[in-house]
Amino acid sequence: MYACPSCGGGLRFDIPSQKLKCDHCETLTDPYSLEERKDAGMDNTFGVTVFTCPQCGGEVMTTDESITGFCMFCGASTVLDARMENHKRPQKIITFKKTKEDCKNIYRRLVGGAIFAPKELKDPDYLEKFRGIYIPYWMYTITYDGPYSISGTTTEASVGYINTNHYKIHCDMDVEYTGISYDASASFDDHVSEAISPFMSAHAQDFTPPMLSGFYADTADVDSSVYREDALKAAQNNLIAGIRSNNTLNKYTMTDLDSSFNSMGKVECENAEAGLGLFPVWFLTYRSSKNRVAYAVVNAESGEISADLPVSIPKYIISSMAVAAAIFALLFFLFTPTPGIALFAAAAFAVISLIVYGAEIHAIKRRHGKYDDKGFYAKYGALENQDDIRRYCTASGAVGSILAIIAAIAIAIWQPVDDWIYYAGAIGAIIGVCITMSAIIRRVNILNTRPLPEFHFRKGGDDSAKDL
């Protein structure tokens, strides 16, 4: 904790003024002036208190000496273990621009439209658990420098023929992309990072530890090499788009742009010692009664939000029954389906429900295995939980629709004379679809929540970078 130069009270970063504000006398202080006195001589590291959750192993660091009694990763109410450490000093920081009240209003607007969300997610006391945390990001600088050649063609149409002209275009390139960013924390899901992007790296300032006062920071434990190729590809795509839209070059048809740049990009961030920045987010954790967690994350610079919104099963059942009754009444008075159409429609619903169920099973396997979270996968590898796979990814949930399809096919082949057999088959098929739909909704909640995190083997900062 940094002391106020006027009264000695605690200083915290004040978002509206972008300065440190005293808790007692409200004096505003330039954060860079404090670093000159307290952190002189610490060029590459800075001292922080690291808090570790004894249940999930999640770590956050802060310049303050205390932390609230719950873990923002797993939502557990617990006393966090604390220790003092020196951590790798980031080069840049984007400070908080959205206040906690701004964040709560953004979240309320989102959840207000989620009619099936559990009532706990709309509780004002729950919203007070939003915590400001800086997420570490690798900031890449990519340069293209030197001569290059591109093949291009133009065509001219005339009476009876088309004339094609071939050109070899030679240019000198001097292009630099800075601030292409990917999160450097294995605990911060890549999908969430993409959903709340972008952060405006041009707004980044030189880092100074007092800016962390009143906030927390996640530890950087993913090596910069993990996302280097992604950064290079992003810069290349942007460059190609720029060339195609250039007023001088867009008159040519260029077919070999992708291949011509594959060997020309150079990522200047060649090791984990460069390009580390801290970007601000507001972070909220919801822990369900089934020991799963849901996150809401708000970009504290732009206000973009990503939120896991579980479905309240009772709310969904009541609403679905009301809608189904209204649709049935409307169809009863306006349209009477023939027996064959009724059976076909029921079978079609069964097929659709099977496709949706299969897609959910596939998504659950990838989510639980962390296959699509590049940072986590690079740090820990696949963490497919076989118990969860056996519990959630079974064929039992699809039995209703499978039986419905079999019954519909059997009746269609049989072609009975009595209409009631078709209607009975359609009703049975709809019942089977409802059974599968209930399984789909339960798996929607699996996709809208996450397993309790486990970071007990996690190392932070420099140690993690050296291990990779």
Side-chain angles (χ1 to χ4, degrees), residues 196 199 262 267 453:
I196 64 171
F199 289 91
N262 280 338
V267 181

Side-chain angles (χ1 to χ4, degrees), residues 217-284:
D218 198 1
T219 54
D221 55 0
V222 176
D223 192 83
S224 63
S225 63
V226 171
Y227 296 106
R228 190 174 294 129
E229 291 302 317
D230 298 85
L232 182 59
K233 187 64 177 178
Q236 178 178 306
N237 291 340
N238 193 289
L239 179 59
I240 290 174
I243 291 174
R244 293 192 187 280
S245 62
N246 183 276
N247 291 332
T248 302
L249 299 176
N250 61 13
K251 65 181 179 180
Y252 300 101
T253 299
M254 294 168 283
T255 59
D256 62 345
L257 276 177
D258 291 315
S259 60
S260 65
F261 288 113
N262 280 338
S263 60
M264 296 187 65
K266 177 186 177 184
V267 181
E268 290 189 337
C269 178
E270 293 294 346
N271 52 58
E273 297 301 318
L276 185 62
L278 294 179
F279 294 175
V281 303
W282 288 103
F283 201 93
L284 180 66

Side-chain angles (χ1 to χ4, degrees), residues 75-109:
S77 297
T78 183
V79 178
L80 304 185
D81 300 326
R83 67 183 186 275
M84 294 296 299
E85 282 188 2
N86 285 335
H87 264 252
K88 176 180 172 59
R89 182 188 180 95
Q91 283 74 42
K92 297 291 183 178
I93 185 172
I94 299 176
T95 56
F96 278 73
K97 303 298 190 298
K98 300 293 183 180
T99 65
K100 186 174 183 177
E101 197 58 40
D102 294 333
C103 172
K104 291 192 290 185
N105 290 334
I106 293 169
Y107 181 77
R108 287 192 191 101
R109 288 194 293 269

Side-chain angles (χ1 to χ4, degrees), residues 280-351:
V281 303
W282 288 103
F283 201 93
L284 180 66
T285 304
Y286 167 74
R287 186 163 179 169
S288 71
S289 58
K290 295 185 177 180
N291 276 334
R292 294 181 66 84
V293 294
Y295 296 145
V297 182
V298 179
N299 182 323
E301 182 190 31
S302 68
E304 290 291 329
I305 183 172
S306 172
D308 302 322
L309 297 177
V311 174
S312 171
I313 301 298
K315 282 186 178 181
Y316 179 82
I317 292 175
I318 293 172
S319 300
S320 297
M321 292 178 63
V323 172
I327 293 175
F328 177 81
L330 182 65
L331 293 177
F332 179 80
F333 288 109
L334 299 180
F335 176 71
T336 301
T338 65
I341 291 178
L343 183 63
F344 175 80
F349 281 121
V351 171

Side-chain angles (χ1 to χ4, degrees), residues 4-85:
C4 173
S6 299
C7 70
L11 293 175
R12 299 185 184 278
F13 187 82
D14 179 60
I15 296 174
S17 67
Q18 294 291 293
K19 294 181 181 294
L20 297 179
K21 187 175 183 179
C22 179
D23 292 336
H24 299 285
C25 69
E26 299 188 350
T27 296
L28 297 178
T29 304
D30 181 1
Y32 291 102
S33 66
L34 289 179
E35 183 183 21
E36 293 174 2
R37 296 199 302 268
K38 184 172 181 178
D39 296 308
M42 299 178 67
D43 295 331
N44 298 316
T45 62
F46 69 108
V48 291
T49 303
V50 177
F51 290 94
T52 304
C53 174
Q55 295 197 27
C56 73
E59 291 183 348
V60 291
M61 57 186 181
T62 178
T63 56
D64 297 343
E65 297 176 355
S66 62
I67 195 171
T68 51
F70 71 92
C71 173
M72 63 183 66
F73 295 110
C74 69
S77 297
T78 183
V79 178
L80 304 185
D81 300 326
R83 67 183 186 275
M84 294 296 299
E85 282 188 2

